[in-house]
Structure formats: structure tokens, C-alpha cells
């Protein structure tokens, strides 16, 4: 269960503006200027308060003119193949700006991956000596090579209560290095 959300009122306001833009376009498709105003207001509030919006919301807004992208009404949507991958290309009809999104069923966004969740790091601090097969073990197996797993199993035979904690610290270190690698690409 999720804890208390910081800036709950701001997120409620963003949600209201996004829903209002959808309602305006649903009632009168010609009233795109009002929907664009709502979306632009939502975008400026999110920037001002430094709030992260869900990728599904960001993908339905034009980066150039802040229009709400509704396929067939305010944008065109095409499926393309490039370099062996499938892409969805959205082109805004107002400003002609295009956005490409990877259309791969196996693709998982970084925020949806288990290693990106901060709650999983707190689950790792288990000091139970029994052989657990929980989220910490699954994450440890995905991050470690076979040599690291062999070293951990040797250490687990000598000091079983430290295995979970070492897996957590190694996981946190690898997550930090992956994050720094991502920021170096930007």
C-alpha cells in the first residue's frame, strides 16, 4: 500500500486539468484552444512544482504547443518499422511536431521495473537465516553474475544473516551506477 503522497493537492489539480481538457474535446472537438490552455496550465504547474507526471499522461500531450493528442482529432498516429523495431509515430496537427514511441510488447519503462522502486531496497534488510525466495533474492539473482552468487553462497554458509544485507548494498551500488550512466548519456 502506498504511503502519503507529497503535494496531493497539486496532483489533484493536475488530474482535474487533464480531465477537463478531455471533457472539453469530447463535448466540442472544435474547442481545441480551451483544451490546449488546460494542458498548458497543467504543464506549467508540474514544472513549477517539479512534479513527475506519469509517462502515459506525457505521451498524450504535445511538447511543442501543449495540445491534447487524440488520434484522429488532434494528431495522426502511424506504426513504423525502423532498424528492426516497431515505433508509434504521433504527429500533432496543430504544430506538426512528431513524437516517436517504442512499440515493443516486451519493453518495460524504467519506472515500472522492480529495481527502480525504492520500496524494494527496504525489503532487502531481512536478517532471517532461513532460505528465502522473495523479491530480494530475485533482484539479487538478476544483478549478480554466477561468480558473485558463488561467493555469496560461500559467505552465506559462514554468516547467513549477512547475505541479504550484502545483496542490498550491492544492489543499491549497482542502481546508483546505472543511474549515473543514464545521466551521463543526457
Amino acid at each position: 500500500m502506498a504511503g502519503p503522497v507529497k503535494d496531493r493537492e497539486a496532483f489533484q489539480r493536475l488530474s482535474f486539468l487533464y480531465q477537463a481538457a478531455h471533457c472539453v474535446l469530447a463535448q466540442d472537438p472544435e474547442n481545441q484552444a480551451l483544451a490546449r490552455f488546460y494542458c498548458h496550465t497543467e504543464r506549467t504547474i508540474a514544472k513549477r512544482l517539479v512534479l513527475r507526471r506519469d509517462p502515459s499522461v506525457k505521451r498524450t500531450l504535445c511538447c511543442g504547443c501543449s495540445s491534447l493528442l487524440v488520434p484522429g482529432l488532434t494528431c495522426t498516429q502511424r506504426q513504423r518499422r525502423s532498424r528492426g523495431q516497431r515505433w508509434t509515430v504521433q504527429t500533432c496537427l496543430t504544430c506538426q511536431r512528431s513524437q516517436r514511441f517504442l512499440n515493443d510488447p516486451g519493453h518495460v519503462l524504467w519506472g515500472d521495473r522492480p529495481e527502480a522502486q525504492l520500496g524494494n531496497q527496504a525489503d532487502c534488510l531481512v536478517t532471517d537465516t532461513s532460505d528465502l525466495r522473495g523479491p530480494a533474492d530475485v533482484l539479487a539473482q538478476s544483478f549478480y553474475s554466477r561468480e558473485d552468487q558463488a561467493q555469496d553462497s560461500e559467505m552465506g554458509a559462514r554468516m547467513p544473516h549477512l547475505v541479504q544485507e550484502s545483496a542490498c548494498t550491492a544492489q543499491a551500488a549497482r542502481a546508483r551506477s546505472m543511474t549515473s550512466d543514464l545521466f551521463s548519456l543526457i
Side-chain angles (χ1 to χ4, degrees):
M1 184 169 167
V5 177
K6 181 185 170 195
D7 295 328
R8 178 178 291 274
E9 293 84 17
F11 278 112
Q12 288 174 347
R13 186 174 178 196
L14 294 179
S15 176
F16 173 79
L17 289 170
Y18 184 73
Q19 291 174 18
H22 269 286
C23 288
V24 164
L25 281 181
Q27 289 176 357
D28 185 15
E30 298 296 320
N31 202 357
Q32 293 180 12
L34 183 59
R36 191 176 312 121
F37 171 75
Y38 288 151
C39 292
H40 181 71
T41 305
E42 181 218 359
R43 183 173 161 188
T44 54
I45 290 170
K47 279 186 180 180
R48 187 184 67 213
L49 297 176
V50 192
L51 299 174
R52 289 182 173 234
R53 296 180 292 167
D54 191 58
S56 62
V57 173
K58 290 193 291 186
R59 288 180 176 198
T60 58
L61 299 176
C62 179
C63 297
C65 64
S66 298
S67 291
L68 186 64
L69 298 177
V70 178
L73 184 63
T74 60
C75 74
T76 58
Q77 195 169 30
R78 302 281 187 253
Q79 303 296 322
R80 301 281 185 231
R81 284 189 180 265
S82 175
R83 298 182 215 120
Q85 294 179 329
R86 295 181 296 179
W87 296 89
T88 300
V89 180
Q90 286 183 339
T91 305
C92 178
L93 296 177
T94 306
C95 66
Q96 304 303 317
R97 188 176 186 129
S98 295
Q99 295 177 335
R100 285 187 348 163
F101 303 111
L102 186 62
N103 189 9
D104 183 17
H107 180 71
V108 179
L109 294 174
W110 170 254
D112 295 336
R113 292 182 184 172
E115 62 265 18
Q117 304 297 326
L118 293 176
N120 288 339
Q121 292 177 359
D123 292 341
C124 292
L125 298 176
V126 176
T127 57
D128 190 8
T129 58
S130 64
D131 187 19
L132 296 177
R133 287 289 168 217
D137 292 333
V138 173
L139 286 173
Q141 288 176 0
S142 66
F143 281 119
Y144 289 125
S145 66
R146 295 200 185 275
E147 297 168 4
D148 291 338
Q149 289 177 3
Q151 290 174 357
D152 281 348
S153 64
E154 291 172 9
M155 186 177 78
R158 287 179 277 150
M159 297 176 283
H161 63 283
L162 294 178
V163 173
Q164 295 293 330
E165 293 175 5
S166 67
C168 241
T169 55
Q171 172 192 351
R174 285 199 171 96
R176 280 194 297 274
S177 68
M178 289 167 54
T179 306
S180 64
D181 292 342
L182 287 173
F183 282 118
S184 67
L185 295 175
I186 295 176

